[in-house]
Amino acid sequence: MNRTHRRLFAFVTVLLLAAAASAQAHHPLTAHITLSRELGDRAVSGRAILALSPKAPRGPALDPGQVFSGPDVVWIAAQEVAHLAPGASEDISGDQLAFPAALSTAPAGHWWAMLLLDVDHNAAYHFFSPGDLRSDVVELKDFDPASGKPLDLTLSHRVPEPPQAKLPDNAERLDFVSPSLSAFWGRPIHMRGVVVLPPKYAGGTTRYPAVYWTHGFGGDLSSIEHGVAPTYSQLMTSGKVPPMIYVLLDES
C-alpha cells in the first residue's frame, strides 16, 4: 500500500468512526412543564421531580414506591423550580441530576412519565404529600429518551389533605415553628405531632415525666394520629405502660 492509499484509508476510517459516533450520539432529555391555571392564581416553588418507568402505574399516579424493584425500573431526575406562575412554563433537565443515570441514556421503548412538584421537599420520605402538585401520567409508546424530543407535562393535580383522624380523649395535637430548624433551612419549619396524656390528667396536680418519641423512615403525622397515639392511649389506660406524657413528634 503506497502513501496515497494509506492516506485515503485513514481518511475513510476517520469518516466511518465519525459516522458511528454520530449515530450513537444522544441529546439531553428536556421536560417542558406548565402550571395549570386551574390550580389557583399563585406562583409555586419546589423541587420538580420527573419520573420515568417502563412499568404501568397501579393507579392514577406514578408512585416509585409501588413500582420500584431495581435501579432500572424507575428513572428520576430533579431540578428546583422557583415562582412558576399559573399558565407559565419552564424547561427542566432530565440529565443534570438524575438516577440511576441521565434520563437520555435510558433505552428506547414503552414508557410512562409523570412530573411531581415537591413543594415541601420531603419526597425522600413520602413521594406524595398534601399540597404537592403532579401531572397526569403520560403513556409514551416507542419513546426514545435520546431523541431530543421534549416531554410536555402539565401540573394539574394537587395532593389533598388526608381525612383527619379522631384522636383519643386524652390526646392533643401540637404544631409549632422550630426556631432552630427554621434558622438552619431559611424557611419556617413546623414541628407537628400528638401529645398523649395520662388518664385523668386534666384538672389534676400530679406531675409526670415526659417521653419524646419520633418515627423512623417512612413514618409521618398520619401514622402517628391513626396508629401510634391510639396505641399509647390504650396501653396507658390498660396499665401496660406507666402513666407518662408521651410527646409523639413527626420528623418528616
Side-chain angles (χ1 to χ4, degrees):
M1 182 182 294
N2 59 33
R3 181 178 298 178
T4 300
H5 288 161
R6 285 198 298 269
R7 289 178 177 175
L8 179 60
F9 179 79
F11 179 71
V12 172
T13 301
V14 171
L15 287 180
L16 291 174
L17 291 174
S22 177
Q24 295 175 0
H26 67 269
H27 302 278
L29 178 64
T30 299
H32 186 69
I33 67 173
T34 304
L35 176 62
S36 173
R37 295 183 184 276
E38 296 179 358
L39 291 181
D41 56 0
R42 294 184 179 181
V44 296
S45 301
R47 181 179 293 115
I49 300 176
L50 174 61
L52 285 177
S53 177
K55 284 191 174 183
R58 298 179 184 176
L62 181 59
D63 186 347
Q66 293 181 347
V67 302
F68 187 84
S69 60
D72 58 344
V73 176
V74 179
W75 295 60
I76 292 181
Q79 181 176 315
E80 290 295 322
V81 171
H83 307 297
L84 181 63
S89 300
E90 185 171 332
D91 289 341
I92 65 170
S93 171
D95 284 16
Q96 290 185 1
L97 184 61
F99 175 86
L103 269 55
S104 63
T105 64
H110 197 156
W111 292 88
W112 283 264
M114 191 196 72
L115 180 74
L116 172 74
L117 188 67
D118 179 22
V119 299
D120 47 10
H121 295 81
N122 73 339
Y125 286 89
H126 305 284
F127 197 68
F128 300 105
S129 58
D132 287 347
L133 311 179
R134 69 168 178 87
S135 71
D136 286 325
V137 177
V138 178
E139 186 176 6
L140 305 168
K141 298 181 179 180
D142 299 321
F143 176 65
D144 183 3
S147 66
K149 181 181 179 181
L151 292 174
D152 287 310
L153 298 168
T154 299
L155 295 167
S156 54
H157 302 275
R158 191 185 307 275
V159 178
E161 292 282 348
Q164 194 172 59
K166 181 177 178 9
L167 295 179
D169 292 338
N170 62 327
E172 300 176 1
R173 291 181 175 88
L174 64 87
D175 184 342
F176 64 93
V177 175
S178 168
S180 299
L181 291 176
S182 299
F184 179 82
W185 290 107
R187 57 188 174 90
I189 300 295
H190 284 255
M191 293 296 297
R192 298 180 174 90
V194 175
V195 178
V196 182
L197 301 170
K200 301 180 181 180
Y201 178 84
T205 58
T206 304
R207 298 174 64 88
Y208 296 91
V211 174
Y212 292 84
W213 177 99
T214 187
H215 52 71
F217 186 83
D220 59 10
L221 182 60
S222 179
S223 64
I224 290 176
E225 292 185 349
H226 285 87
V228 183
T231 297
Y232 272 97
S233 175
Q234 184 179 13
L235 289 174
M236 272 199 295
T237 302
S238 63
K240 294 182 178 179
V241 297
M244 296 184 181
I245 299 174
Y246 291 90
V247 184
L248 313 175
L249 293 172
D250 172 30
E251 66 174 21
S252 63

